[in-house]
Amino acid sequence: MVYLHDSLEDPPIMSNDNANHLTGDSTFTVRLATATKPDQTGGESRFSFSEARSLIGDLTKPNPRIYWTDFLLSIFGGYISLNATLHVPRLFWPEPWVIPVVIVSYIATVLLFMRSVMFIHELVHLPPDGYKGFRFMWNLLCGIPFFVPSFLYYPHVDHHRRKHYGTDHDGEYLSLSHSSRWLIVGFIAQALVIPFLGLFRFVVLSPICWLIPGARAFVHRHASTMVVDPFYQRDDASPKVMRMVVLQEFFCFLVGMGLIFRHRIVTGQWGDPLWIVAYAVAIGLLVLNEVRTLGAHRWTGNGDEMTFEEQLLDSVNYPHCPWISELWGPVGTRYHALHHLFPRLPYHNLGEAHRRLVAGLPADSPYHKTIAPSLSSEIVALWRRACGRKETPHQDSQSQAA
């Protein structure tokens, strides 16, 4: 049981570049000629992390009760909705109310499971001490049953390293503003195949790695990360991390085998109704997350290292209509620009932190340019930018501020 415990409670990993965002007093000078109209003092505005930190410094401590309550209510509510979606038609068909109930329960399942899965993002940024039990339970109830064990998200820290963001070292970035619209379409359409790839990764590739150790390096580099860029290659891991990888994938293997054979073992027949429901839920969850991801950034990078200004303006906050935006951007993901500035802020304090920054920062602060009116408006803007255009990120920042 000690090994199970070690395998499910991953160590949080934090970028050194971003550790200073809440602890350092450095003042960054940001030239806004590409983002705002020049002012009469020369077109220069200053973004001071020390000034921002003074506004939100008391919001940096995560509240374990909120984490536990939110996650447990979400995951168990999702399982209840899933069972309703699966069993109500079998038990009560052809009652006229069955179809509306199934539709509502399906939507609830997708939204609640989406919220549960998004806690994987918090696991990376939580303090190293005091959350071992939470990491363990998240993997046990969500990560492993959904084939998204926490080791898949360890490389997320590369997305927060200033010199890695938007480059080949960042597996969570694509130059979508400089690419064909078909890449955006394909980004969403991949939801149809990802459930099969997840099953293949843990039911087929994992045993191959156990039996043929030489295959481990390839699988670890190319098939062991939650990524946006399919060509991203993960770095080699330490022996401790690899032990966690092997043990977490072993339990994913057991879940996969149970999913495939459980109906056959119990009834003697193939054709488990759960397969259809699980696939439909997976597609709904994946499409929702991919749409959310399209709006998380403006994707103006072209693969080169981006300046602080470009990175800031490339990320988006959605503070409006919280009853809607919290459904598609749960657990703080709708405050993506704020999260990139202060990665260690707990998700439950991001709303308050955003309100303080908007009220307390100067009117010409670049932070105000990260606010978008709606997810749909940003995706429409991305779609228009992606029409074979050849503008540079500098030109794109200028158009964003126009």
Side-chain angles (χ1 to χ4, degrees), residues 69-84:
T69 302
D70 193 347
F71 170 66
L72 291 178
L73 288 177
S74 298
I75 191 65
F76 286 122
Y79 281 128
I80 292 171
S81 299
L82 176 67
N83 278 277

Side-chain angles (χ1 to χ4, degrees), residues 99-127:
I99 292 179
V101 167
V102 170
I103 292 174
V104 171
S105 63
Y106 170 77
I107 294 173
T109 302
V110 170
L111 295 176
L112 289 168
F113 280 166
M114 171 78 168
R115 187 171 189 87
S116 302
V117 171
M118 284 297 102
F119 276 94
I120 194 174
H121 181 254
E122 289 294 302
L123 297 184
V124 178
H125 298 291
L126 280 171

